[in-house]
Amino acid sequence: WALPHPGRRATRPHWDGNPAELNPDFSQMLTAFCRDLVGHGMVASTRLLRGELVPATFASVLGSLVEAFAKNRCAPASLRDAFVTCFMHGAAEEARRVYGVQLQQLLQETRVLRPRDYTHLAATARAQALQTFDHDLEEYSCPDGPARRDVLATQLDAVLQEHGAQNSAKLTQAHVGLAAMAAAVVLMTPVAALGSV
């Protein structure tokens, strides 16, 4: 939605809130916007640029928009920066989510991965997540891109540690299971057969 200007009187510092002083086009469009926003008693999921506004990024997105509009007369550059910042928060959250899903799939698709195999597959998934994020940084000419990338890389490493611990636990369980099976075979083998070995 692109709302028209609310009118000169409504933007004065001492405007008393009289709706009759609003631009009629603004009033009509605002009414339609509000109807769409909460139509049929249900609030629809909000999307900013290409990303969905999710609880994990809501506070940072809202803060970016408040900062852009803080002086009530926003320069086009600061508005653009606010939207780029909002998009980058969403892009980072999406990269973390996709990476976590990929790691979880690694743990579910195979019973146990050797640590070096798991590390290799996880590194490939991490590189893909960062490559997608780098593409978004380049597309939106994000001024603090390298710092954002470093933060995301650290967050992806934390996700890897969490999932790596799950893989290590599965590997330990597999080793214990193999040892138990070997012990059972030894216990079930007659003593005479063991002596001839």
Side-chain angles (χ1 to χ4, degrees):
W1 282 86
L3 297 175
H5 194 276
R8 288 186 184 163
R9 292 183 181 171
T11 57
R12 291 184 182 153
H14 301 291
W15 180 54
D16 64 359
N18 182 357
E21 294 177 349
L22 288 173
N23 175 346
D25 291 336
F26 176 79
S27 296
Q28 184 179 7
M29 295 298 287
L30 182 62
T31 300
F33 171 75
C34 291
R35 248 189 250 124
D36 277 359
L37 181 66
V38 293
H40 308 294
M42 299 167 71
V43 176
S45 177
T46 301
R47 295 185 65 79
L48 288 176
L49 302 173
R50 293 187 313 183
E52 187 172 337
L53 185 60
V54 296
T57 60
F58 180 76
S60 54
V61 167
L62 183 61
S64 298
L65 291 174
V66 167
E67 185 179 319
F69 290 104
K71 295 180 182 173
N72 198 17
R73 291 198 174 131
C74 178
S78 64
L79 181 59
R80 183 207 177 276
D81 291 347
F83 278 106
V84 167
T85 299
C86 293
F87 177 77
M88 296 318 302
H89 287 302
E93 180 60 29
E94 180 66 7
R96 283 190 299 274
R97 187 193 67 76
V98 168
Y99 184 60
V101 167
Q102 288 174 333
L103 293 180
Q104 193 61 37
Q105 287 173 344
L106 287 176
L107 293 174
Q108 291 175 355
E109 289 175 2
T110 58
R111 297 202 141 234
V112 177
L113 289 170
R114 292 182 297 178
R116 75 168 177 250
D117 293 340
Y118 180 77
T119 302
H120 173 72
L121 292 170
T124 301
R126 181 183 187 273
Q128 289 172 345
L130 288 173
Q131 183 179 16
T132 300
F133 188 72
D134 287 343
H135 173 73
D136 291 337
L137 287 173
E138 186 178 318
E139 182 178 342
Y140 287 93
S141 302
C142 187
D144 58 347
R148 288 182 183 279
R149 187 186 196 282
D150 292 345
V151 168
L152 177 61
T154 301
Q155 292 169 341
L156 294 180
D157 291 342
V159 171
L160 175 61
Q161 284 182 336
E162 177 186 329
H163 287 277
Q166 292 175 15
N167 185 61
S168 295
K170 285 176 105 176
L171 187 59
T172 301
Q173 286 177 331
H175 286 151
V176 169
L178 286 173
M181 285 180 12
V185 168
V186 169
L187 290 175
M188 296 170 74
T189 305
V191 176
L194 289 176
S196 63
V197 175

